[in-house]
Amino acid sequence: MTNICQNSLLQPKTRFQLLATVIVNIIMFGHGVGVGWLSPTLTKIQTPDSPLDFAVNIDEISWLGSMLGLGSLCGNLTMALLLERAGRKFCIYLMAGPNVCLWILIYCASNVGYLYAARFLCGFTGGAGYVVIPIFISEVADSSIRGALSSMLMLSVNLGILAGYILSTYLPYHIVPYLGILLPISYFLANFLLPETPPYLLKRSQLSAAEQSFRYYRNQQTGETSKAQFEELRTAILAQQVQNKSSLSYRDLTTRPALKAFGAAAVLCMGYQFSGIFSFINYMSDIFASSGSVLDVNTCTIIIGAVQIVGVYTSTIFVDIVGRRLLMLMSTLGVGIGCIAFGCFTHFAQIYDLSEFNWLPLALMILIVYLANIGLIGIFFLVLVELFPSKIRSLATSISVIFLSILVFCTLKLFPLFLHFWGISITMWFSAISALLTFVYFLLFLSETKGKSMIED
């Protein structure tokens, strides 16, 4: 009971950390709305009653899906260059611009190029956010609640995806951008409330501003306890700077701890993408159509969007209680078993009459998506940031997210082809093998990072 109280997000000393997390994740909610907007919209613009003056073909649809990955890659690269040079807050402000532009492009679309650009900017916002926000939160949050606050990133994205599904399904095409554009504007204005992170200010020798920031995020405007805690942080930063006084070099990226972390990060990224879970979310209607399910596609999509939120919320509750490793093991094993079962059902449905079990594909997908979100999706970025030594954390996280973006582009482009040429059963079994191999690696090599200091290795 004491541990749960200490981990409460509503303690007086962590309230402003929670506020900061909510504010910076407004843009990730907006990114999620942009991601979720696509699936129901594709259905609308392929009908005779399309709200647009142009048609889209299958090849253009596949590019609409995969442009998200290209945008994400550019967002990763941009933030990798700016994060240490310009600061966390500058990068956070910067993400509002592309998100505003994507809704303007969607509203004004006169040909498919506008939609390509909008999806690219949606990916840019997400790619930038996946680099900046985990580092920002890790630098302002107490270690006791860092896991819960960090997992709110994916909770925000999934809430946004669900909102995008619902808005695009039930509102006219040209109304959705009016609502979507309010999010980046409110996000930009709300961020004026937040100071730069204390560790970044200390690294820039801005001692007075760093202390004010530290007191703000700890909700301790006066007191010897706050002063002592700040001095402890300052000492740790100074020690880190002495240790890292030489500029970051190639050798820092090839030390044994760094290589071990890169290996774990590579497996984490490949497990996330090759298990298929992100592709499932983007091509859910095709999966249900191939599975023989007779339920309404939009209804199934909204149900899956709600399940994602429940899964990430579960990870938010338990990540600082049971740790990261256990959630990752449960997630990868569960996704692997669920994909095997899904593949077996679709395989035998081609041989036997299983029409009385046509509810089973939805039930299995609910299980797969829920288990993916308690670990593989829900705490992906938390684990990724915590894997690396502090000296290379910003650069290594950026490199890893760039690698992830390349995988996102490839999987979103190839997944429809796998469905077409391999069929749903083999595609699901391939996903299962990937998830189970990731489980084996995590079981043998993934270390627990719960409570790890973000300043000291």
Side-chain angles (χ1 to χ4, degrees):
M1 186 68 176
T2 303
N3 185 50
I4 293 176
C5 291
Q6 290 175 344
N7 292 348
S8 172
L9 299 178
L10 298 178
Q11 307 174 70
K13 73 171 185 176
T14 60
R15 286 173 186 168
F16 287 102
Q17 297 169 28
L18 176 61
L19 174 65
T21 301
V22 171
I23 288 175
V24 298
N25 275 310
I26 293 172
I27 197 66
M28 299 312 291
F29 178 84
H31 166 66
V33 173
V35 172
W37 164 88
L38 180 66
S39 183
T41 301
L42 285 178
T43 303
K44 288 182 180 181
I45 64 178
Q46 292 180 88
T47 64
D49 298 325
S50 171
L52 300 177
D53 297 328
F54 57 92
V56 292
N57 58 40
I58 296 299
D59 183 59
E60 289 169 338
I61 287 172
S62 71
W63 278 108
L64 276 174
S66 57
M67 285 300 287
L68 189 77
L70 289 181
S72 180
L73 178 60
C74 290
N76 302 153
L77 291 169
T78 302
M79 293 305 144
L81 292 172
L82 294 178
L83 192 58
E84 294 300 331
R85 293 174 174 84
R88 283 60 165 143
K89 280 301 300 295
F90 177 84
C91 294
I92 282 171
Y93 285 129
L94 188 63
M95 289 188 289
N99 206 254
V100 167
C101 292
L102 85 88
W103 293 114
I104 295 173
L105 287 167
I106 287 172
Y107 183 85
C108 298
S110 58
N111 59 62
V112 74
Y114 283 75
L115 299 184
Y116 287 160
R119 284 285 288 178
F120 178 89
L121 292 175
C122 182
F124 184 97
T125 304
Y130 291 141
V131 173
V132 177
I133 291 177
I135 291 176
F136 176 86
I137 293 173
S138 73
E139 291 184 345
V140 303
D142 276 3
S143 61
S144 62
I145 62 165
R146 188 175 65 234
L149 292 182
S150 296
S151 61
M152 286 185 184
L153 185 151
M154 289 311 302
L155 180 61
S156 301
V157 173
N158 287 342
L159 281 168
I161 290 173
L162 177 60
Y165 287 159
I166 294 172
L167 291 175
S168 298
T169 298
Y170 296 109
L171 293 181
Y173 175 92
H174 288 98
I175 297 298
V176 177
Y178 281 112
L179 300 176
I181 204 170
L182 295 176
L183 293 168
I185 293 173
S186 60
Y187 158 84
F188 183 85
L189 296 175
N191 268 287
F192 283 106
L193 296 172
L194 306 179
E196 180 61 90
T197 68
Y200 181 80
L201 292 170
L202 285 170
K203 290 175 184 177
R204 291 295 178 268
S205 301
Q206 299 178 31
L207 189 61
S208 177
E211 184 170 1
Q212 290 178 1
S213 173
F214 182 85
R215 289 182 182 277
Y216 174 85
Y217 287 118
R218 296 301 187 276
N219 195 19
Q220 297 173 341
Q221 301 307 315
T222 58
E224 291 301 318
T225 301
S226 176
K227 185 72 174 176
Q229 290 175 342
F230 176 73
E231 287 301 319
E232 183 180 338
L233 174 65
R234 188 171 75 90
T235 302
I237 292 288
L238 287 173
Q240 182 191 61
Q241 287 182 312
V242 170
Q243 181 183 1
N244 301 343
K245 62 181 178 180
S246 59
S247 59
L248 191 63
S249 68
Y250 173 76
R251 288 187 177 182
D252 294 312
L253 300 176
T254 56
T255 62
R256 183 180 177 86
L259 291 176
K260 182 180 178 182
F262 274 119
V267 173
L268 184 62
C269 292
M270 289 188 290
Y272 180 18
Q273 287 304 307
F274 293 155
S275 66
I277 189 62
F278 191 69
S279 298
F280 297 166
I281 300 304
N282 281 268
Y283 296 107
M284 194 63 68
S285 58
D286 290 335
I287 291 172
F288 280 119
S290 300
S291 70
S293 175
V294 296
L295 300 176
D296 178 70
V297 170
N298 286 334
T299 301
C300 291
T301 301
I302 291 171
I303 290 171
I304 293 300
V307 170
Q308 288 189 89
I309 295 167
V310 176
V312 174
Y313 184 69
T314 302
S315 73
T316 302
I317 294 173
F318 289 105
V319 65
D320 286 316
I321 299 174
V322 303
R324 288 71 160 138
R325 187 173 183 272
L326 179 60
L327 289 178
M328 278 294 187
L329 291 174
M330 291 172 58
S331 180
T332 49
L333 180 62
V335 169
I337 294 173
C339 287
I340 289 173
F342 198 105
C344 288
F345 173 84
T346 55
H347 175 73
F348 287 112
Q350 298 172 7
I351 303 172
Y352 305 105
D353 180 14
L354 300 179
S355 56
E356 61 181 301
F357 300 104
N358 55 32
W359 51 268
L360 196 54
L362 176 60
L364 288 171
M365 190 55 68
I366 287 173
L367 177 67
I368 292 168
V369 170
Y370 174 79
L371 290 171
N373 276 275
I374 69 170
L376 202 52
I377 294 176
I379 60 173
F380 174 89
F381 290 100
L382 169 64
V383 173
L384 187 66
V385 169
E386 292 181 341
L387 283 173
F388 293 105
S390 60
K391 184 175 182 180
I392 67 168
R393 184 169 293 126
S394 293
L395 177 60
T397 301
S398 299
I399 291 171
S400 299
V401 178
I402 288 168
F403 177 60
L404 175 67
S405 296
I406 294 170
L407 293 179
V408 167
F409 172 76
C410 293
T411 54
L412 288 180
K413 187 64 178 170
L414 293 175
F415 190 82
L417 300 178
F418 288 172
L419 282 178
H420 180 75
F421 292 108
W422 290 359
I424 183 67
S425 300
I426 295 178
T427 301
M428 296 302 291
W429 290 332
F430 174 82
S431 298
I433 291 170
S434 301
L436 293 176
L437 288 175
T438 306
F439 166 78
V440 172
Y441 181 91
F442 286 168
L443 183 64
L444 297 176
F445 301 112
L446 184 65
S447 301
E448 178 58 71
T449 56
K450 174 186 172 185
K452 180 180 178 180
S453 170
M454 290 289 98
I455 304 301
E456 302 167 356
D457 292 329

